[in-house]
Amino acid sequence: LLPLTLLILALGQGVRRLHVSAAFNAKAKVSMSRFEPSNYVSYEKLNENVNIVRKRLNRPLTLSEKIVYGHLDDPVGQDIARGHTYLRLRPDRVAMQDATAQMAMLQFISSGLPRVAVPSTIHCDHLIEAQIGGAKDLARAKDINAEVYNFLASAGAKYGVGFWKPGCGIIHQIILENYAYPGVLLIGTDSHTPNGGGLGSICIGVGGADAVDVMAGIPWELKCPKVIGVKLTGKLSGWTSPKDVILKVAGILTVKGGTGAIVEYHGPGVDSISCTGMATICNMGAEIGATTSVFPYNHRMKTYLEKTGRGDIAALADDYADLLVPDPGCEYDSIVEINLDELKPHINGPFTPDLAHPMADIGATAAKNGWPLEVKVGLIGSCTNSSYEDMGRSASVAKQALDKGLKCKAAFTITPGSEQIRATIERDGYSKILGDVGGMVLANACGPCIGQWDRRDVKKGEKNTIVTSYNRNFTARNDANPATHAFVASPEIVTALAIAGTLDFNPEVDYLTAANGEKFKLEPPSADELPKLDFDPGQDTYQHPPAEGGSKLRVDVSPTSTRLQLLEPFDKWAGGDLEDLQVLIKVKGKCTTDHISAAGPWLKFRGHLDNISNNMLIGAVNIENDGVNKIKNQLTGEYGGVPDVARHYKANGLSWVVVGDDNYGEGSSREHAALEPRHLGGRCIIVKSFARIHETNLKKQGMLPLTFQNPADYDKIRPDDKISIKGLATFTPGKPLSAVVKHSDCSKDDFQLNHTFNETQIEWFQAGSALNRMKELQ
């Protein structure tokens, strides 16, 4: 260094400036990930755009505004109004899990484009069924799903998409370990993509058609989000965990309270939460309908980046730290305040993730409501809670029980979040402790969380209770049994309940009985945030796309396949109003994407539109008879399954409409819930309100998602009605459409229907789908 300094001094200030500039530029050239060394983090561009927008709006910006507006396609001219305007954005990358990647890649193939325009990845995590244990379950999945895995691997190679093989781990954990970083804008074809907010990222769940837009290099549309601030004060301690923060927030905001908003955590309490703990909180923001959630950059994120081999990104983030936190004086649309000193462990459920109970109350509440107290199974892990810290805190609880001669009274399963986590907890002894207490380690995959669970300890219809550290607990979500009462809690609480075997055990105050008969209390768990040694990477499960391009590679789809099917374009709008649409089903109450397009055993058909359409709305409750998958065919007078009746209507040239309740389409990002109605002859969905992702997915496929201007008009519609949608010839943003309802007794009703279409989205409808419109513009 000394000779270089002397040389600079000797040659003068011009060389010195050149040297400093070169050093800065060298530092600025930091790769987004080790897998894409020629794609760089661009804080300079982000900062430039933020400064343009801040000057235009003349006010301080929240962190989420900085990251979102920093990725505007046109920061100078873009109209910006929170909750109103549509933004055109340039995301940095795309991530797809294997169940949704099939349809996304089939759509990309249909676009005719030669290669993806942004870094993109496919992650094999959804198609592995939990049955007898990790290694055997993984081997069976590779065999059963070979056709799909080969399709995804070859499509990835041809079109320039990185491919994470089965066994790699869960998409959101892989993103956190490898791809998320402060300030990145990432979209993923899974509703829990917001997990990356724990690393200061804006990560948003979308449908496959949205992913195709970004992979095609087209600006991606997002309604300008409102911003809900959650101010954290105090400090987490004892049995209270990051999971309890989001369980509390879900109880406050409910399953639709975050719709159209980004939830931004801030305040002095943030620093008491680990990076992976922040990810847990952001992950479950999907359960309140939020667009995404995010935490400000801090030392916990820096430590995590360094431990996962990304110290260069951490150093660069330090240089731009002011860019990666909210501006002083920024304003939120609403504020929730939580004092972590006062927060108690929570457990949420059953049947909905926003039914929040302090652990101290759950026993009495369960007894009052007739919920089974015996815990049949405790399940920890999933994309929500499978970090090294989570496994360590659970092992801390399990070790205390083992030391007293106890094992779990309930069955107990452990799902590592990634191959790296699996290998590291095995090396560091956590897996042995969890196994010794009675646990079974499952494959690094979604497993029971997404319904991939071959459960055999109870019969279907048998009332029982399970506790999980997962995110979602809708009816029949985990095991296809509608009588299973699923409760959501932190991994350490789940472990304690599995040991005690009963839902009314509160580890803060209740005692267990040791093998020798003595009473003892479990001490609050303690564990390292990150391993003392480096992470053990385990087996290499990543396939690079060929550097030279895949133009000569082939991606074959057999015309006789039951798993994969090439897509045919949907028909264009005929130019007039939609007349006499038959009401297919009037849905009563909650209707999530699980109700519209079930997962579990149906996941195997995610690449075959016609076959998976046989699950359309089979979980929705028919208001006519409170039945499930039992509706009247108005052409024959007979009752049948929803998909069967829809197919009969389509075959007879009769288009149809679905009528639904509040927050229709809550839950997953699965666009199959929009593709299936379109494929089977649906034209319109009329509801009281929509969940964000599902409404967008419907628009992308040429459907009309409409809402009652007066929610009471829902009550006017009868199951045998025909509905005409009027005003499509002058379909414009902000102008309501109207409905004329013909009843079987020849009487009529009419009312106004609102929509959120902008001009571009109206073009999707007119072209028949967003994909059709993309082809028209090529």
Side-chain angles (χ1 to χ4, degrees), residues 40-54 61-72 75 89-92 181-186 200-202 297 316-317 320-325:
Y40 302 110
V41 177
S42 184
Y43 286 144
E44 299 93 335
K45 180 63 175 175
L46 184 69
N47 195 44
E48 179 186 326
N49 285 1
V50 167
N51 286 334
I52 291 169
V53 173
R54 190 191 286 114
L61 300 178
T62 67
L63 170 61
S64 47
E65 286 184 304
K66 286 182 176 182
I67 302 175
V68 172
Y69 303 163
H71 286 84
L72 285 170
L89 302 169
R90 292 284 184 177
D92 297 301
Y181 60 83
V184 73
L185 176 59
L186 179 152
S201 311
I202 291 293
Y297 178 63
L316 190 61
Y320 286 91
D322 289 346
L323 179 65
L324 305 172
V325 296

Side-chain angles (χ1 to χ4, degrees), residues 98-100 102-103 126-129 141 144-149 450-452 561-565 597-609 611-613 615 672:
D98 51 354
T100 51
Q102 296 170 62
M103 194 57 67
H126 271 58
L127 300 179
I128 302 167
E129 184 182 53
I144 292 171
N145 302 308
E147 180 186 13
V148 171
Y149 292 148
I450 190 62
Q452 286 281 46
S561 172
T562 61
R563 299 288 301 270
L564 298 164
Q565 181 186 46
S597 177
W602 290 95
L603 285 171
K604 62 178 172 286
F605 296 127
R606 284 282 184 89
H608 197 292
L609 179 54
N611 283 346
I612 199 169
S613 293
N615 76 359
H672 299 77

Side-chain angles (χ1 to χ4, degrees), residues 244 344-347 357-363 489 493 497 503-508:
D244 298 304
K344 288 291 187 180
H346 274 61
I347 184 166
H357 319 277
M359 282 301 299
D361 299 342
I362 188 62
I493 290 291
L497 293 178
L503 191 63
D504 58 0
F505 175 74
N506 181 2
E508 288 195 306

Side-chain angles (χ1 to χ4, degrees), residues 470-520:
Y470 303 164
N471 41 45
R472 219 159 256 173
N473 58 346
F474 303 142
T475 303
R477 165 82 176 187
N478 304 120
D479 62 359
N481 181 4
T484 293
H485 292 55
F487 294 85
V488 177
S490 68
E492 50 266 48
I493 290 291
V494 171
T495 305
L497 293 178
I499 292 165
T502 181
L503 191 63
D504 58 0
F505 175 74
N506 181 2
E508 288 195 306
V509 297
D510 293 335
Y511 287 79
L512 294 170
T513 303
N516 65 4
E518 73 171 290
K519 300 286 186 182
F520 75 99

Side-chain angles (χ1 to χ4, degrees), residues 28 105 274 314 360 365 377 388 522 727:
M105 292 310 296
S274 66
T365 304
V377 191
Y388 185 82
L522 293 168

Side-chain angles (χ1 to χ4, degrees), residues 30 42 105 139 180 185 205 325 338 362 411 422 466 486 498 515 579 616 628 661 715 723:
V30 173
S42 184
M105 292 310 296
L185 176 59
V325 296
I338 296 177
I362 188 62
R422 183 208 61 77
I466 65 173
E579 301 285 355
M616 186 192 72
V628 174
D661 213 316
D715 297 321
I723 302 177

